[in-house]
Amino acid sequence: MLLSCGDALVDFLPVTSVDGRAAAVPVAGGSCLNIAVGMARLGAPAGFVGGISTDLFGRIIADHALGSQVDLRHATRSEHQTTLAFVRHLGGEPQYAFYDEATASRAWTYRRGSIPFDEIEAIHVGSTTLAHDQGAAQALAMIEDAGGATTISFDPNCRPNLVKLKARYVDQMDAFAAAADIVRMSAVDFEFLYGGSDYREKAKSLIAAGASLVVVTRGIKGARAWHGEAGLVEVEAPATDVVDTIGAGDSFQAALLFALRAIGRIERRALARMNPGELARALSFASACAAFTCGRAGADPPRRSDVGPALSRLMAG
């Protein structure tokens, strides 16, 4: 099974009402929930780890996850309120206003021994829950409990408006990157964390520290990846008519983990032995899934039937 650990929330997406006024539509989301949904929709056994409220919005989240066959046995239901995020677009990019005090996601705590890691092929961590000390500490405790038994995937998915002390936050993100086998971040996240665009040197340092794969996604410029054995591999972004970019990075991440599992490279030792052709196929499949998501509103990752040709190319090798 593949697990995704972190945030589950409700996004309020901007729409125009029938009388022309600005309005908002509630949609289940959160980067880590989106990744669990994305993996499950593609056909991988996938579960979510984190806090989900029992309130109205929490029921929306749970119904959404279960509707895509996401396993919630490792999720913690509580009476804490659901995190809410209001979205608007500026310059083509989504901007978020979070309401995240004393919520189910923030109150989640990891119970040691609660996850049978010998049955888990990979676990993903990242996003808003790591912007707070408690969330970061709980996720690190889970990684420590895994004890190297499963592949660790990490995407910071930074939300600068949640970061109070940037230097401390950067140190925490570096700690997660150092503990991960797969590190992915957007070019925007790289700029926020490290400044500039010297991806190569940072990738080299992460691989030297123990990561097998480092990926930087660059929107319409495609994806660039570094691997300990395969070296540098780049893929172009598929052409698409963009409706919005919400959830595109999550779809990429979900599809990348799905693809690595599908070609037998998700386990830590197998991941370390991947060749350039395999990596290129996995990245291309992930890019196709991200492009599909950009073609419709909201974080709505593709199902297996939506990306049949891309899946055939992934498995052709």
Side-chain angles (χ1 to χ4, degrees), residues 110-160:
Y110 174 67
R111 293 177 291 109
R112 289 192 180 274
S114 61
I115 298 175
F117 287 107
D118 58 340
E119 301 174 12
I120 306 302
E121 295 164 283
I123 186 163
H124 174 79
V125 297
S127 200
T128 61
T129 49
L130 304 188
H132 312 291
D133 287 346
Q134 178 178 335
Q138 296 303 313
L140 280 172
M142 181 187 64
I143 291 171
E144 291 171 2
D145 203 20
T150 187
T151 298
I152 303 299
S153 163
F154 168 61
D155 169 19
N157 193 32
C158 306
R159 295 291 180 253

Side-chain angles (χ1 to χ4, degrees), residues 86-120:
F86 289 80
V87 185
R88 66 172 181 165
H89 290 89
L90 292 176
E93 291 291 328
Q95 304 291 319
Y96 298 86
F98 290 97
Y99 293 79
D100 190 34
E101 292 295 329
T103 61
S105 280
R106 287 191 65 172
W108 174 76
T109 56
Y110 174 67
R111 293 177 291 109
R112 289 192 180 274
S114 61
I115 298 175
F117 287 107
D118 58 340
E119 301 174 12
I120 306 302

